[in-house]
Amino acid sequence: MPYDLNSTLWPNREDVFFRDHTFIPLRQTGPHCVSTTLAMLTGTSPETFQGTVNTQDPRSWSAALAPWDMQLAYCPTDARKLKFYLEDLLSVDDLFTLSYYASEDAREILQDPDPHGWVTGSHIVLLHRDTILDPASGKATLVLLHECLERHTKRIFRVVERGHPSCL
């Protein structure tokens, strides 16, 4: 069928990459959610990635993870709220980055950018199995209790092993 209203985030449930890993939440200092999220994935410090990744270019994030034998893989998404992906995310039961718009106002998300290119803020967290590791708080929270579920999706990536055919 060429038009599928219910495309899944990942093509199968057999792929397991980081289900049994342990990740430690870190709290970001300043506007560094991307570098702090990458640090949580690699067990390093956020400074490892600051100045080397473009916060608006996930390809640079994926390349930065390669020395740790990790990369990011694209998941098909749109701007619906993250809660509409929850069942699919939990059924995969592994490791994802979830990026979402900070604004709760869909009109703000869809507005034209200002003269500097700014539209609205966003944030990135890790989802490991059923737990959100949020660099804003530095805490691990069950996904069902996290505010991200009510926010509109910016990006979802699955964290995969380096060299996976779906890597960015």
Side-chain angles (χ1 to χ4, degrees):
M1 179 196 304
Y3 189 75
D4 183 357
L5 295 175
N6 297 305
S7 178
T8 58
L9 294 173
W10 198 254
N12 65 63
R13 300 299 179 252
E14 291 76 41
D15 289 339
V16 175
F17 303 105
F18 298 100
R19 190 176 288 162
D20 295 329
H21 281 59
T22 300
F23 299 94
I24 308 299
L26 296 173
R27 185 163 188 190
Q28 72 188 60
T29 302
H32 297 291
C33 59
V34 171
S35 61
T36 305
T37 297
L38 296 174
M40 287 190 285
L41 285 170
T42 60
T44 61
S45 72
E47 292 78 16
T48 303
F49 303 100
Q50 292 169 7
T52 62
V53 299
N54 177 339
T55 61
Q56 297 306 309
D57 182 3
R59 291 172 300 194
S60 74
W61 313 346
S62 189
L65 291 172
W68 289 270
D69 292 326
M70 299 175 176
Q71 287 185 277
L72 300 179
Y74 170 77
C75 294
T77 59
D78 57 30
R80 74 185 83 184
K81 290 181 179 180
L82 280 168
K83 68 182 177 183
F84 295 107
Y85 293 107
L86 185 61
E87 183 178 331
D88 202 10
L89 288 162
L90 291 176
S91 72
V92 174
D93 192 30
D94 206 10
L95 181 61
F96 292 88
T97 67
L98 308 179
S99 297
Y100 56 92
Y101 293 102
S103 176
E104 294 182 45
D105 184 352
R107 294 171 300 182
E108 187 177 332
I109 295 165
L110 297 174
Q111 72 185 351
D112 291 338
D114 71 15
H116 304 286
W118 178 257
V119 176
T120 188
S122 60
H123 189 54
I124 183 172
V125 297
L126 290 181
L127 173 65
H128 185 233
R129 307 192 76 182
D130 65 351
T131 303
I132 295 286
L133 288 83
D134 189 340
S137 67
K139 295 180 182 177
T141 306
L142 287 176
V143 67
L144 292 172
L145 302 176
H146 195 273
E147 69 176 13
C148 71
L149 294 179
E150 290 299 325
R151 301 299 166 88
H152 293 272
T153 305
K154 184 172 183 179
R155 304 177 179 108
I156 297 177
F157 294 107
R158 183 152 187 205
V159 183
V160 296
E161 295 170 340
R162 181 178 179 190
H164 189 277
S166 296
C167 286
L168 294 181

